[in-house]
Amino acid sequence: SQTIHQWPATLVQPVGSPLSLECTVEGTSNPNLYWYRQAAGRGLQLLFYSVGIGQISSEVPQNLSASRPQDRQFILSSKKLLLSDSGFYLCAWTRPSGGGYTFGSGTRLTVV
Amino acid sequence: AQSVAQPEDQVNVAEGNPLTVKCTYSVSGNPYLFWYVQYPNRGLQFLLKYITGDNLVKGSYGFEAEFNKSQTSFHLKKPSALVSDSALYFCALYTGRRALTFGSGTRLQVQP
């Protein structure tokens, strides 16, 4: 069966520090991978998606970047965090043909 | 533009009563619609989807949704609400760009 792992679960970082959130998927090949941010416990904003190694599409210009160094690994990064980067970050995957998502358990990031 | 809207920020219902969480959509072509549920500090869980076929879709935990093309709606329903159904519910639309667009979410509160 397929599983998705996302870590860390919570993170408190000072303004200006770097960020690296990792997401891995097991039990499938060539998944579509996604990073979403949820602010204030409500709406989800698509940040990045990837349909293959090294292929990243950015939906919203911002202080963050994403990379996909391996087929089942998706990393969200920042060189210098801003207060506005605080939020709940969710990784998700779908089969290459698309369809419904499976979400990770999320990372709550607080920038102080 | 393709979009999905959830007009209610919160829905309150007594345990044992039927519940409805509303969702409307705007899309050119055939819509692919989804419902997800999110419990506090957790990732989203898939409830059900409409791709084609029967307008009444049955999903997890006793939930169902009715697709209405003339009203461009995809309301989530359950005949008898449980306190444990209290959570944040998201309607989503597959936009064909290999990503889902989510509604703003509706908080369901079921009172005992």
Side-chain angles (χ1 to χ4, degrees), chain A residues 34 36 38 41-44 46 49 51 59 88 90 97-101 103-105 108, chain B residues 9 34 36 38 41-44 46 88 90 94 97-100 102-107:
Chain A
Y34 306 83
Y36 279 85
Q38 185 178 30
R42 295 309 291 263
L44 288 148
L46 178 63
Y49 69 90
V51 299
E59 290 293 305
F88 193 51
L90 289 159
S97 54
Y101 287 14
F103 282 85
S105 54
R108 181 158 303 284
Chain B
D9 282 347
F34 301 80
Y36 285 83
Q38 184 181 32
N41 293 311
R42 303 292 298 275
L44 276 67
F46 171 79
L88 189 56
F90 288 96
Y94 185 65
R97 295 180 300 124
R98 306 179 194 254
L100 287 178
F102 287 84
S104 56
T106 298
R107 191 167 302 282

Side-chain angles (χ1 to χ4, degrees), chain A residues 38-111:
Chain A
Q38 185 178 30
R42 295 309 291 263
L44 288 148
Q45 180 186 37
L46 178 63
L47 301 176
F48 302 95
Y49 69 90
S50 171
V51 299
I53 295 174
Q55 299 179 60
I56 309 295
S57 296
S58 175
E59 290 293 305
V60 182
Q62 57 206 327
N63 185 43
L64 301 169
S65 62
S67 61
R68 185 169 177 175
Q70 300 180 44
D71 181 44
R72 294 186 293 263
Q73 183 184 30
F74 203 27
I75 297 172
L76 183 69
S77 303
S78 173
K79 292 182 179 178
K80 288 185 178 181
L81 283 169
L82 306 172
L83 287 174
S84 58
D85 291 324
S86 294
F88 193 51
Y89 289 83
L90 289 159
C91 181
W93 77 274
T94 68
R95 299 185 190 283
S97 54
Y101 287 14
T102 299
F103 282 85
S105 54
T107 296
R108 181 158 303 284
L109 172 66
T110 303
V111 183

Side-chain angles (χ1 to χ4, degrees), chain B residues 23 38 72-73 90 109:
Chain B
C23 172
Q38 184 181 32
T72 62
S73 67
F90 288 96
Q109 195 67 42

Side-chain angles (χ1 to χ4, degrees), chain B residues 10 17 25 28 35 50 56 69-70 80 84-85 88 90 95:
Chain B
Q10 180 156 329
N17 284 1
Y25 66 90
S28 55
W35 274 103
Y50 172 83
L56 186 63
K69 189 172 184 178
S70 62
S80 179
S84 57
D85 292 330
L88 189 56
F90 288 96
T95 61

